[in-house]
Amino acid sequence: MIKNGRTLQHAEGASHPIHPLPMQELQPRGARIRGNRRVDQTEAAERFIAAPQHQKMHDERLWDLRGKRDRQMHAMPEWEDLRALASAIKEHTLTHLDQYLEQFERNARANGVEVHWAKDGEEHNHIVHGILRDHGAKTLIKSKSMLTEECGFRAYMAGTGIEVIETDLGERIQQLDNEDPSHVVVPAVHKLRGDVAKVFAEHLGTNPEDDNVNHLAEAQREATRPLILNADAGMTGCNFAVAETGGITVCTNEGNADLSANVPRLHIASIGIEKVIPRLEHLAVFVRLLSRSALGSPITQYTSHIRGPRAGGEMHIVLVDNGRSARLSQDQFWTSLKCIRCGACMNTCPVYRRSGGLSYGATYSGPIGLIIDPSFNRHKYSALPFSSTLNGSCSNVCPVKINIHEQIAAWRQVMAKNHDLGVIKMVAMKAAGVLLAHPVSYRAAIAAADSALNNLPRFAIYNRLNSWGKHREVPHAPRESFHTWYKRHRSAP
Ligand code: SF4
């Protein structure tokens, strides 16, 4: 694509330029995590909103991805059929998961791969550490994997004396900055270029004033390439594991998974058990949907198929459950396992776009996080399902047709039933319940509130107790409620 005589790079192709304001503000940090205490997403979101350059860039960047996704979707008349097919394949696989996993294991072993099973994150970390230790590995290059984030893999490895080096640019930025990924596809999307320049200056010795993206990418390439070439072992995740062949498919835009899988002699692939699909031909459905939904590009730059170890090498696959079997048994939530981690629901979510992924204080943020995180720790993430407007946009864009907003609402009911709402919300909900159950009192209260909003002094409305008025004006109440208007018109001759 050419613009003003200049060839645009891949990511610039259909993007609107986004210019951060001059005099860059400090990067807001994520939610405060305190053991098992309930994560307060709104507190961290407020700090993100209070950083307007970050908030504006984040909102625009993700909305840009959503726009590109829409353009790709409209260019494919069969889009809805593909979504329905993808959903049906996933639902069929999940309801026959034991068979397909065993078939995958058999075929992977026949391909010369060693297969391990891990019931949770801890076991996964032990298994991988054991493999590395047995091979005397001191360095491990790793491509991006949300599963390993779930397992707390890097934190675990920090105490083993084996150095882990992330090879995805965004993930490496996050590793150097000691932060988790804030998005499943673009892990450092909440950072301005200047934030990255600062991180690289501190860790790679680059010029902190130079926030040119090409220079930053080149600095990362030069710093990481020797580490890749000399690594003892490589690790990847997996987008799809094909039962029929025992092969795995990894989709990236930087080719870093290929380096991790092929440069060192030892390759370990960590795979969530929900990643299995029955047949090779099913890949065509998912590969067409994945990158279009994620970044609005027709395909990822690299779609790599790995059947077995490289010549003279060794390959291990760790199949990880980590709560997935339990989720599969949950009537209302099992279809969340269809997720292919495209991030489209995050890009479209107005709450996520304005609050940043790290405000959720969990591995998964945005709408998909709201329905997955509570299944890991119901109490700790009990406030998250309330960080949604329930507008349904997430469900509309989901390429595997997960009813995300309905599951968010269902999680709210679970929290309410288990008294996991927090005191203020519990009291407010109880009062609202009483009011809504008595129409006469409800109408009287609405009329009183309308008049109060119109007549009370500002300090009585805009204070800490009214979160609606924290960042916006409360709208003027209409002179007449819809109920009164309707009654008047219905009874008119
Ligand atoms: S829930 Fe759907 S839209 Fe969201 S990341 Fe998963 S597959 Fe993508």
Side-chain angles (χ1 to χ4, degrees):
M1 188 178 286
I2 309 279
K3 190 175 173 190
N4 301 334
R6 188 171 70 93
T7 307
L8 297 181
Q9 307 222 343
H10 163 70
E12 290 178 285
S15 300
H16 303 295
I18 290 163
H19 302 294
L21 305 170
M23 293 297 295
Q24 190 184 311
E25 69 204 3
L26 286 178
Q27 183 196 328
R29 295 296 172 175
R32 298 188 178 106
I33 313 287
R34 301 179 194 92
N36 196 37
R37 282 172 65 176
R38 182 185 287 113
V39 174
D40 186 354
Q41 197 259 345
T42 54
E43 179 272 331
E46 270 188 47
R47 281 187 282 112
F48 194 78
I49 291 166
Q53 293 175 18
H54 286 81
Q55 196 258 335
K56 181 172 185 293
M57 178 279 301
H58 193 257
D59 187 14
E60 290 181 355
R61 172 59 73 208
L62 293 169
W63 191 244
D64 184 45
L65 292 180
R66 161 73 207 263
K68 287 195 219 166
R69 172 254 173 219
D70 288 354
R71 286 194 284 282
Q72 289 291 334
M73 178 199 75
H74 290 306
M76 284 176 59
E78 70 274 34
W79 183 262
E80 285 306 318
D81 293 337
L82 272 181
R83 284 180 79 212
L85 195 52
S87 171
I89 294 168
K90 279 283 181 183
E91 290 191 9
H92 166 79
T93 315
L94 288 167
T95 49
H96 299 77
L97 195 56
D98 51 343
Q99 295 167 28
Y100 287 119
L101 282 169
E102 284 175 7
Q103 187 187 4
F104 175 77
E105 181 188 24
R106 263 196 317 276
N107 287 328
R109 285 191 195 282
N111 295 339
V113 179
E114 283 195 37
V115 181
H116 312 255
W117 295 83
K119 68 174 184 307
D120 55 24
E122 200 182 337
E123 194 170 4
H124 163 268
N125 296 344
H126 280 138
I127 290 170
V128 176
H129 180 207
I131 299 168
L132 294 170
R133 196 184 45 222
D134 292 348
H135 288 75
K138 289 282 168 244
T139 56
L140 172 73
I141 52 169
K142 178 177 165 298
S143 71
K144 191 166 77 59
S145 149
M146 290 309 293
L147 174 66
T148 56
E149 298 291 334
E150 230 182 77
C151 297
F153 178 69
R154 270 206 326 258
Y156 170 90
M157 290 302 288
T160 64
I162 298 172
E163 187 187 3
V164 178
I165 302 133
E166 296 285 351
T167 53
D168 174 271
L169 173 59
E171 194 70 34
R172 181 65 172 164
I173 293 167
Q174 291 305 93
Q175 182 186 20
L176 293 176
D177 202 20
N178 198 22
E179 274 192 333
D180 292 332
S182 72
H183 188 287
V184 294
V185 176
V186 273
V189 70
H190 60 293
K191 279 183 162 67
L192 296 172
R193 292 193 317 241
D195 300 327
V196 179
K198 263 192 219 157
V199 174
F200 279 12
E202 194 181 324
H203 295 275
L204 307 182
T206 52
N207 175 4
E209 305 299 320
D210 184 358
D211 64 358
N212 178 298
V213 285
N214 295 322
H215 296 172
L216 292 170
E218 194 54 36
Q220 140 81 356
R221 188 197 307 270
E222 280 180 17
T224 311
R225 198 48 68 112
L227 302 174
I228 292 173
L229 295 176
N230 294 309
D232 299 319
M235 189 173 189
T236 65
C238 150
N239 292 90
F240 307 102
V242 184
E244 179 184 45
T245 64
I248 64 170
T249 301
V250 191
C251 306
T252 71
N253 281 309
E254 298 172 26
N256 54 309
D258 304 76
L259 293 173
S260 301
N262 293 300
V263 175
R265 284 191 63 251
L266 174 62
H267 172 207
I268 303 167
S270 295
I271 303 176
I273 55 173
E274 85 285 13
K275 291 287 166 96
V276 73
I277 56 171
R279 293 203 299 278
L280 197 57
E281 67 185 39
H282 296 149
L283 265 182
V285 176
F286 293 104
V287 168
R288 293 186 78 195
L289 287 167
L290 178 61
S291 189
R292 287 182 168 92
S293 300
L295 299 171
S297 56
I299 194 163
T300 44
Q301 302 291 313
Y302 299 85
T303 302
S304 307
H305 305 265
I306 303 167
R307 272 279 183 101
R310 56 163 253 197
E314 194 174 315
M315 180 174 173
H316 294 251
I317 283 177
V318 189
L319 291 165
V320 187
D321 186 313
N322 204 30
R324 285 158 174 78
S325 304
R327 206 180 310 149
L328 195 55
S329 68
Q330 295 178 318
D331 275 352
Q332 289 172 297
F333 305 116
W334 71 276
T335 56
S336 64
L337 288 163
K338 292 193 289 182
C339 177
I340 57 171
R341 307 282 190 266
C342 71
C345 57
M346 308 163 90
N347 303 343
T348 198
C349 175
V351 176
Y352 176 84
R353 279 189 280 114
R354 288 167 180 82
S355 56
L358 297 180
S359 67
Y360 293 73
T363 302
Y364 299 100
S365 50
I368 181 61
L370 304 191
I371 60 175
I372 288 185
D373 295 323
S375 72
F376 291 120
N377 187 329
R378 197 189 71 215
H379 172 69
K380 187 168 180 176
Y381 302 120
S382 56
L384 291 190
F386 296 89
S387 294
S388 167
T389 63
L390 295 185
N391 61 37
S393 180
C394 45
S395 306
N396 288 339
V397 298
C398 179
V400 285
K401 290 178 84 99
I402 300 174
N403 57 338
I404 306 170
H405 70 295
E406 289 171 2
Q407 293 193 31
I408 295 172
W411 268 115
R412 291 183 184 184
Q413 289 171 356
V414 171
M415 300 311 172
K417 275 192 194 129
N418 288 285
H419 309 289
D420 238 335
L421 290 179
V423 179
I424 296 177
K425 200 180 284 290
M426 213 128 78
V427 172
M429 289 293 158
K430 228 175 206 133
V434 171
L435 212 55
L436 290 169
H438 298 89
V440 177
S441 322
Y442 171 72
R443 275 181 216 116
I446 288 291
D450 287 352
S451 134
L453 278 176
N454 287 335
N455 298 305
L456 281 176
R458 280 188 72 82
F459 72 83
I461 300 170
Y462 298 94
N463 55 45
R464 283 183 54 235
L465 294 175
N466 176 18
S467 45
W468 274 91
K470 272 186 189 166
H471 297 285
R472 63 198 147 185
E473 291 286 317
V474 177
H476 282 295
R479 277 199 303 278
E480 183 182 35
S481 73
F482 173 74
H483 181 262
T484 324
W485 176 90
Y486 182 71
K487 230 168 129 186
R488 194 156 48 78
H489 282 77
R490 195 177 59 166
S491 54

